[in-house]
Amino acid sequence: MKQPAPYEIQSYILLAIHKHNAALSAQLDAGDIEYDQLLRSAFPATAYSVIAEGIERSLGEYHEA
């Protein structure tokens, strides 16, 4: 079975984060949640760079081994 490349994994994680935050935004627009609930439940904007740094680090360690 083929293993996904690290960047494929990263893209799926980022897509999941985007979908999660978009769903929260839709709930806010519909009046189902309050703004403070959105802030508590949303992934932080810095999550993208943190994930990218983790992928880069894992690739670097993999190539060193």
PDB file of all heavy atoms in Angstrom, residues 1-30:
ATOM      1  N   MET A   1       0.840  -1.181   0.000  1.00  0.00           N
ATOM      2  CA  MET A   1       0.000   0.000   0.000  1.00  0.00           C
ATOM      3  C   MET A   1       0.882   1.242   0.000  1.00  0.00           C
ATOM      4  O   MET A   1       1.828   1.341   0.777  1.00  0.00           O
ATOM      5  CB  MET A   1      -0.918  -0.028   1.216  1.00  0.00           C
ATOM      6  CG  MET A   1      -1.783   1.186   1.349  1.00  0.00           C
ATOM      7  SD  MET A   1      -2.852   1.001   2.780  1.00  0.00           S
ATOM      8  CE  MET A   1      -4.202   1.959   2.233  1.00  0.00           C
ATOM      9  N   LYS A   2       0.571   2.160  -0.856  1.00  0.00           N
ATOM     10  CA  LYS A   2       1.341   3.398  -0.976  1.00  0.00           C
ATOM     11  C   LYS A   2       1.107   4.299   0.231  1.00  0.00           C
ATOM     12  O   LYS A   2      -0.023   4.478   0.664  1.00  0.00           O
ATOM     13  CB  LYS A   2       0.939   4.122  -2.258  1.00  0.00           C
ATOM     14  CG  LYS A   2       1.657   5.429  -2.454  1.00  0.00           C
ATOM     15  CD  LYS A   2       1.098   6.175  -3.651  1.00  0.00           C
ATOM     16  CE  LYS A   2       1.728   7.539  -3.690  1.00  0.00           C
ATOM     17  NZ  LYS A   2       0.791   8.620  -3.710  1.00  0.00           N
ATOM     18  N   GLN A   3       2.189   4.840   0.769  1.00  0.00           N
ATOM     19  CA  GLN A   3       2.090   5.793   1.877  1.00  0.00           C
ATOM     20  C   GLN A   3       1.997   7.198   1.305  1.00  0.00           C
ATOM     21  O   GLN A   3       2.703   7.525   0.348  1.00  0.00           O
ATOM     22  CB  GLN A   3       3.329   5.677   2.778  1.00  0.00           C
ATOM     23  CG  GLN A   3       3.472   4.339   3.468  1.00  0.00           C
ATOM     24  CD  GLN A   3       2.345   4.089   4.456  1.00  0.00           C
ATOM     25  OE1 GLN A   3       1.927   4.972   5.185  1.00  0.00           O
ATOM     26  NE2 GLN A   3       1.846   2.866   4.455  1.00  0.00           N
ATOM     27  N   PRO A   4       1.166   8.055   1.895  1.00  0.00           N
ATOM     28  CA  PRO A   4       1.068   9.422   1.383  1.00  0.00           C
ATOM     29  C   PRO A   4       2.334  10.213   1.693  1.00  0.00           C
ATOM     30  O   PRO A   4       2.995   9.980   2.710  1.00  0.00           O
ATOM     31  CB  PRO A   4      -0.133   9.996   2.130  1.00  0.00           C
ATOM     32  CG  PRO A   4      -0.241   9.179   3.368  1.00  0.00           C
ATOM     33  CD  PRO A   4       0.271   7.810   3.005  1.00  0.00           C
ATOM     34  N   ALA A   5       2.657  11.119   0.810  1.00  0.00           N
ATOM     35  CA  ALA A   5       3.803  12.002   1.035  1.00  0.00           C
ATOM     36  C   ALA A   5       3.454  12.966   2.172  1.00  0.00           C
ATOM     37  O   ALA A   5       2.284  13.284   2.385  1.00  0.00           O
ATOM     38  CB  ALA A   5       4.117  12.779  -0.236  1.00  0.00           C
ATOM     39  N   PRO A   6       4.469  13.446   2.899  1.00  0.00           N
ATOM     40  CA  PRO A   6       4.199  14.382   3.994  1.00  0.00           C
ATOM     41  C   PRO A   6       3.394  15.600   3.565  1.00  0.00           C
ATOM     42  O   PRO A   6       2.530  16.070   4.309  1.00  0.00           O
ATOM     43  CB  PRO A   6       5.596  14.787   4.463  1.00  0.00           C
ATOM     44  CG  PRO A   6       6.455  13.612   4.131  1.00  0.00           C
ATOM     45  CD  PRO A   6       5.887  13.091   2.840  1.00  0.00           C
ATOM     46  N   TYR A   7       3.651  16.111   2.364  1.00  0.00           N
ATOM     47  CA  TYR A   7       2.908  17.285   1.916  1.00  0.00           C
ATOM     48  C   TYR A   7       1.451  16.955   1.605  1.00  0.00           C
ATOM     49  O   TYR A   7       0.584  17.806   1.723  1.00  0.00           O
ATOM     50  CB  TYR A   7       3.598  17.945   0.727  1.00  0.00           C
ATOM     51  CG  TYR A   7       4.906  18.571   1.135  1.00  0.00           C
ATOM     52  CD1 TYR A   7       6.115  18.073   0.681  1.00  0.00           C
ATOM     53  CD2 TYR A   7       4.929  19.652   2.016  1.00  0.00           C
ATOM     54  CE1 TYR A   7       7.311  18.642   1.086  1.00  0.00           C
ATOM     55  CE2 TYR A   7       6.115  20.226   2.430  1.00  0.00           C
ATOM     56  CZ  TYR A   7       7.308  19.718   1.956  1.00  0.00           C
ATOM     57  OH  TYR A   7       8.476  20.275   2.362  1.00  0.00           O
ATOM     58  N   GLU A   8       1.186  15.699   1.219  1.00  0.00           N
ATOM     59  CA  GLU A   8      -0.203  15.281   1.033  1.00  0.00           C
ATOM     60  C   GLU A   8      -0.919  15.254   2.376  1.00  0.00           C
ATOM     61  O   GLU A   8      -2.051  15.724   2.494  1.00  0.00           O
ATOM     62  CB  GLU A   8      -0.269  13.896   0.388  1.00  0.00           C
ATOM     63  CG  GLU A   8       0.142  13.857  -1.059  1.00  0.00           C
ATOM     64  CD  GLU A   8       0.144  12.445  -1.599  1.00  0.00           C
ATOM     65  OE1 GLU A   8       0.967  11.632  -1.144  1.00  0.00           O
ATOM     66  OE2 GLU A   8      -0.692  12.169  -2.477  1.00  0.00           O
ATOM     67  N   ILE A   9      -0.236  14.730   3.377  1.00  0.00           N
ATOM     68  CA  ILE A   9      -0.805  14.702   4.725  1.00  0.00           C
ATOM     69  C   ILE A   9      -1.081  16.122   5.192  1.00  0.00           C
ATOM     70  O   ILE A   9      -2.154  16.425   5.721  1.00  0.00           O
ATOM     71  CB  ILE A   9       0.135  13.967   5.697  1.00  0.00           C
ATOM     72  CG1 ILE A   9       0.257  12.495   5.303  1.00  0.00           C
ATOM     73  CG2 ILE A   9      -0.357  14.110   7.137  1.00  0.00           C
ATOM     74  CD1 ILE A   9       1.345  11.741   6.029  1.00  0.00           C
ATOM     75  N   GLN A  10      -0.115  17.002   4.985  1.00  0.00           N
ATOM     76  CA  GLN A  10      -0.278  18.402   5.378  1.00  0.00           C
ATOM     77  C   GLN A  10      -1.487  19.019   4.693  1.00  0.00           C
ATOM     78  O   GLN A  10      -2.285  19.706   5.329  1.00  0.00           O
ATOM     79  CB  GLN A  10       0.974  19.200   5.046  1.00  0.00           C
ATOM     80  CG  GLN A  10       0.852  20.676   5.370  1.00  0.00           C
ATOM     81  CD  GLN A  10       2.098  21.457   4.988  1.00  0.00           C
ATOM     82  OE1 GLN A  10       3.153  20.903   4.764  1.00  0.00           O
ATOM     83  NE2 GLN A  10       1.971  22.754   4.914  1.00  0.00           N
ATOM     84  N   SER A  11      -1.658  18.761   3.415  1.00  0.00           N
ATOM     85  CA  SER A  11      -2.773  19.378   2.696  1.00  0.00           C
ATOM     86  C   SER A  11      -4.111  18.868   3.220  1.00  0.00           C
ATOM     87  O   SER A  11      -5.071  19.640   3.322  1.00  0.00           O
ATOM     88  CB  SER A  11      -2.654  19.158   1.189  1.00  0.00           C
ATOM     89  OG  SER A  11      -2.840  17.807   0.852  1.00  0.00           O
ATOM     90  N   TYR A  12      -4.188  17.575   3.582  1.00  0.00           N
ATOM     91  CA  TYR A  12      -5.431  17.048   4.133  1.00  0.00           C
ATOM     92  C   TYR A  12      -5.716  17.644   5.511  1.00  0.00           C
ATOM     93  O   TYR A  12      -6.870  17.934   5.849  1.00  0.00           O
ATOM     94  CB  TYR A  12      -5.393  15.524   4.219  1.00  0.00           C
ATOM     95  CG  TYR A  12      -5.654  14.854   2.891  1.00  0.00           C
ATOM     96  CD1 TYR A  12      -4.636  14.221   2.195  1.00  0.00           C
ATOM     97  CD2 TYR A  12      -6.933  14.850   2.334  1.00  0.00           C
ATOM     98  CE1 TYR A  12      -4.871  13.614   0.971  1.00  0.00           C
ATOM     99  CE2 TYR A  12      -7.179  14.245   1.115  1.00  0.00           C
ATOM    100  CZ  TYR A  12      -6.144  13.622   0.441  1.00  0.00           C
ATOM    101  OH  TYR A  12      -6.388  13.031  -0.764  1.00  0.00           O
ATOM    102  N   ILE A  13      -4.690  17.837   6.315  1.00  0.00           N
ATOM    103  CA  ILE A  13      -4.869  18.456   7.629  1.00  0.00           C
ATOM    104  C   ILE A  13      -5.357  19.892   7.466  1.00  0.00           C
ATOM    105  O   ILE A  13      -6.305  20.317   8.132  1.00  0.00           O
ATOM    106  CB  ILE A  13      -3.558  18.417   8.446  1.00  0.00           C
ATOM    107  CG1 ILE A  13      -3.215  16.971   8.823  1.00  0.00           C
ATOM    108  CG2 ILE A  13      -3.665  19.286   9.695  1.00  0.00           C
ATOM    109  CD1 ILE A  13      -1.819  16.799   9.396  1.00  0.00           C
ATOM    110  N   LEU A  14      -4.714  20.629   6.572  1.00  0.00           N
ATOM    111  CA  LEU A  14      -5.112  22.022   6.361  1.00  0.00           C
ATOM    112  C   LEU A  14      -6.523  22.125   5.799  1.00  0.00           C
ATOM    113  O   LEU A  14      -7.282  23.031   6.173  1.00  0.00           O
ATOM    114  CB  LEU A  14      -4.106  22.727   5.455  1.00  0.00           C
ATOM    115  CG  LEU A  14      -2.684  22.837   6.016  1.00  0.00           C
ATOM    116  CD1 LEU A  14      -1.785  23.558   5.024  1.00  0.00           C
ATOM    117  CD2 LEU A  14      -2.667  23.514   7.360  1.00  0.00           C
ATOM    118  N   LEU A  15      -6.900  21.199   4.939  1.00  0.00           N
ATOM    119  CA  LEU A  15      -8.259  21.192   4.406  1.00  0.00           C
ATOM    120  C   LEU A  15      -9.266  20.918   5.523  1.00  0.00           C
ATOM    121  O   LEU A  15     -10.320  21.557   5.587  1.00  0.00           O
ATOM    122  CB  LEU A  15      -8.400  20.154   3.294  1.00  0.00           C
ATOM    123  CG  LEU A  15      -9.772  20.036   2.647  1.00  0.00           C
ATOM    124  CD1 LEU A  15     -10.199  21.350   2.006  1.00  0.00           C
ATOM    125  CD2 LEU A  15      -9.777  18.916   1.624  1.00  0.00           C
ATOM    126  N   ALA A  16      -8.933  19.992   6.409  1.00  0.00           N
ATOM    127  CA  ALA A  16      -9.824  19.692   7.531  1.00  0.00           C
ATOM    128  C   ALA A  16      -9.978  20.908   8.447  1.00  0.00           C
ATOM    129  O   ALA A  16     -11.088  21.206   8.910  1.00  0.00           O
ATOM    130  CB  ALA A  16      -9.297  18.498   8.321  1.00  0.00           C
ATOM    131  N   ILE A  17      -8.884  21.626   8.698  1.00  0.00           N
ATOM    132  CA  ILE A  17      -8.946  22.838   9.512  1.00  0.00           C
ATOM    133  C   ILE A  17      -9.823  23.882   8.828  1.00  0.00           C
ATOM    134  O   ILE A  17     -10.676  24.508   9.462  1.00  0.00           O
ATOM    135  CB  ILE A  17      -7.535  23.396   9.780  1.00  0.00           C
ATOM    136  CG1 ILE A  17      -6.776  22.472  10.723  1.00  0.00           C
ATOM    137  CG2 ILE A  17      -7.601  24.803  10.357  1.00  0.00           C
ATOM    138  CD1 ILE A  17      -5.304  22.826  10.874  1.00  0.00           C
ATOM    139  N   HIS A  18      -9.622  24.055   7.536  1.00  0.00           N
ATOM    140  CA  HIS A  18     -10.427  25.027   6.784  1.00  0.00           C
ATOM    141  C   HIS A  18     -11.910  24.680   6.864  1.00  0.00           C
ATOM    142  O   HIS A  18     -12.753  25.549   7.110  1.00  0.00           O
ATOM    143  CB  HIS A  18      -9.961  25.089   5.335  1.00  0.00           C
ATOM    144  CG  HIS A  18     -10.868  25.900   4.470  1.00  0.00           C
ATOM    145  ND1 HIS A  18     -10.921  27.276   4.534  1.00  0.00           N
ATOM    146  CD2 HIS A  18     -11.785  25.522   3.552  1.00  0.00           C
ATOM    147  CE1 HIS A  18     -11.820  27.707   3.683  1.00  0.00           C
ATOM    148  NE2 HIS A  18     -12.360  26.665   3.073  1.00  0.00           N
ATOM    149  N   LYS A  19     -12.254  23.412   6.649  1.00  0.00           N
ATOM    150  CA  LYS A  19     -13.654  22.990   6.689  1.00  0.00           C
ATOM    151  C   LYS A  19     -14.244  23.209   8.085  1.00  0.00           C
ATOM    152  O   LYS A  19     -15.389  23.642   8.224  1.00  0.00           O
ATOM    153  CB  LYS A  19     -13.789  21.524   6.270  1.00  0.00           C
ATOM    154  CG  LYS A  19     -13.619  21.308   4.788  1.00  0.00           C
ATOM    155  CD  LYS A  19     -13.812  19.847   4.433  1.00  0.00           C
ATOM    156  CE  LYS A  19     -13.719  19.646   2.929  1.00  0.00           C
ATOM    157  NZ  LYS A  19     -13.970  18.249   2.547  1.00  0.00           N
ATOM    158  N   HIS A  20     -13.452  22.914   9.112  1.00  0.00           N
ATOM    159  CA  HIS A  20     -13.902  23.105  10.489  1.00  0.00           C
ATOM    160  C   HIS A  20     -14.214  24.580  10.739  1.00  0.00           C
ATOM    161  O   HIS A  20     -15.280  24.922  11.257  1.00  0.00           O
ATOM    162  CB  HIS A  20     -12.826  22.610  11.455  1.00  0.00           C
ATOM    163  CG  HIS A  20     -13.101  22.908  12.888  1.00  0.00           C
ATOM    164  ND1 HIS A  20     -13.966  22.147  13.646  1.00  0.00           N
ATOM    165  CD2 HIS A  20     -12.641  23.895  13.698  1.00  0.00           C
ATOM    166  CE1 HIS A  20     -14.024  22.652  14.863  1.00  0.00           C
ATOM    167  NE2 HIS A  20     -13.228  23.708  14.928  1.00  0.00           N
ATOM    168  N   ASN A  21     -13.270  25.453  10.384  1.00  0.00           N
ATOM    169  CA  ASN A  21     -13.467  26.886  10.608  1.00  0.00           C
ATOM    170  C   ASN A  21     -14.592  27.446   9.746  1.00  0.00           C
ATOM    171  O   ASN A  21     -15.345  28.318  10.188  1.00  0.00           O
ATOM    172  CB  ASN A  21     -12.172  27.653  10.376  1.00  0.00           C
ATOM    173  CG  ASN A  21     -11.177  27.460  11.505  1.00  0.00           C
ATOM    174  OD1 ASN A  21     -11.525  26.985  12.581  1.00  0.00           O
ATOM    175  ND2 ASN A  21      -9.939  27.826  11.265  1.00  0.00           N
ATOM    176  N   ALA A  22     -14.733  26.949   8.514  1.00  0.00           N
ATOM    177  CA  ALA A  22     -15.819  27.407   7.645  1.00  0.00           C
ATOM    178  C   ALA A  22     -17.175  27.003   8.214  1.00  0.00           C
ATOM    179  O   ALA A  22     -18.136  27.781   8.154  1.00  0.00           O
ATOM    180  CB  ALA A  22     -15.643  26.849   6.234  1.00  0.00           C
ATOM    181  N   ALA A  23     -17.260  25.809   8.770  1.00  0.00           N
ATOM    182  CA  ALA A  23     -18.511  25.364   9.387  1.00  0.00           C
ATOM    183  C   ALA A  23     -18.856  26.240  10.586  1.00  0.00           C
ATOM    184  O   ALA A  23     -20.025  26.600  10.786  1.00  0.00           O
ATOM    185  CB  ALA A  23     -18.410  23.899   9.796  1.00  0.00           C
ATOM    186  N   LEU A  24     -17.849  26.587  11.378  1.00  0.00           N
ATOM    187  CA  LEU A  24     -18.090  27.485  12.508  1.00  0.00           C
ATOM    188  C   LEU A  24     -18.579  28.847  12.027  1.00  0.00           C
ATOM    189  O   LEU A  24     -19.496  29.433  12.611  1.00  0.00           O
ATOM    190  CB  LEU A  24     -16.819  27.654  13.342  1.00  0.00           C
ATOM    191  CG  LEU A  24     -16.399  26.456  14.181  1.00  0.00           C
ATOM    192  CD1 LEU A  24     -15.026  26.709  14.783  1.00  0.00           C
ATOM    193  CD2 LEU A  24     -17.419  26.164  15.261  1.00  0.00           C
ATOM    194  N   SER A  25     -17.978  29.344  10.969  1.00  0.00           N
ATOM    195  CA  SER A  25     -18.380  30.637  10.408  1.00  0.00           C
ATOM    196  C   SER A  25     -19.823  30.585   9.915  1.00  0.00           C
ATOM    197  O   SER A  25     -20.590  31.522  10.111  1.00  0.00           O
ATOM    198  CB  SER A  25     -17.434  31.026   9.273  1.00  0.00           C
ATOM    199  OG  SER A  25     -17.771  32.278   8.760  1.00  0.00           O
ATOM    200  N   ALA A  26     -20.202  29.483   9.299  1.00  0.00           N
ATOM    201  CA  ALA A  26     -21.578  29.321   8.832  1.00  0.00           C
ATOM    202  C   ALA A  26     -22.546  29.278  10.011  1.00  0.00           C
ATOM    203  O   ALA A  26     -23.640  29.853   9.939  1.00  0.00           O
ATOM    204  CB  ALA A  26     -21.703  28.051   7.986  1.00  0.00           C
ATOM    205  N   GLN A  27     -22.130  28.619  11.098  1.00  0.00           N
ATOM    206  CA  GLN A  27     -22.967  28.582  12.294  1.00  0.00           C
ATOM    207  C   GLN A  27     -23.133  29.981  12.881  1.00  0.00           C
ATOM    208  O   GLN A  27     -24.223  30.344  13.327  1.00  0.00           O
ATOM    209  CB  GLN A  27     -22.364  27.656  13.353  1.00  0.00           C
ATOM    210  CG  GLN A  27     -22.487  26.192  13.025  1.00  0.00           C
ATOM    211  CD  GLN A  27     -21.846  25.342  14.100  1.00  0.00           C
ATOM    212  OE1 GLN A  27     -20.716  25.592  14.510  1.00  0.00           O
ATOM    213  NE2 GLN A  27     -22.565  24.333  14.552  1.00  0.00           N
ATOM    214  N   LEU A  28     -22.069  30.756  12.863  1.00  0.00           N
ATOM    215  CA  LEU A  28     -22.132  32.133  13.355  1.00  0.00           C
ATOM    216  C   LEU A  28     -23.086  32.947  12.495  1.00  0.00           C
ATOM    217  O   LEU A  28     -23.945  33.666  13.022  1.00  0.00           O
ATOM    218  CB  LEU A  28     -20.737  32.765  13.361  1.00  0.00           C
ATOM    219  CG  LEU A  28     -20.664  34.209  13.832  1.00  0.00           C
ATOM    220  CD1 LEU A  28     -20.987  34.318  15.316  1.00  0.00           C
ATOM    221  CD2 LEU A  28     -19.284  34.789  13.545  1.00  0.00           C
ATOM    222  N   ASP A  29     -22.949  32.827  11.183  1.00  0.00           N
ATOM    223  CA  ASP A  29     -23.826  33.571  10.263  1.00  0.00           C
ATOM    224  C   ASP A  29     -25.292  33.185  10.439  1.00  0.00           C
ATOM    225  O   ASP A  29     -26.177  34.026  10.284  1.00  0.00           O
ATOM    226  CB  ASP A  29     -23.409  33.332   8.811  1.00  0.00           C
ATOM    227  CG  ASP A  29     -22.065  33.969   8.473  1.00  0.00           C
ATOM    228  OD1 ASP A  29     -21.610  34.848   9.238  1.00  0.00           O
ATOM    229  OD2 ASP A  29     -21.476  33.575   7.448  1.00  0.00           O
ATOM    230  N   ALA A  30     -25.537  31.922  10.768  1.00  0.00           N
ATOM    231  CA  ALA A  30     -26.908  31.447  10.956  1.00  0.00           C
ATOM    232  C   ALA A  30     -27.455  31.812  12.336  1.00  0.00           C
ATOM    233  O   ALA A  30     -28.639  31.597  12.604  1.00  0.00           O
ATOM    234  CB  ALA A  30     -26.972  29.938  10.754  1.00  0.00           C
TER     235      ALA A  30
END
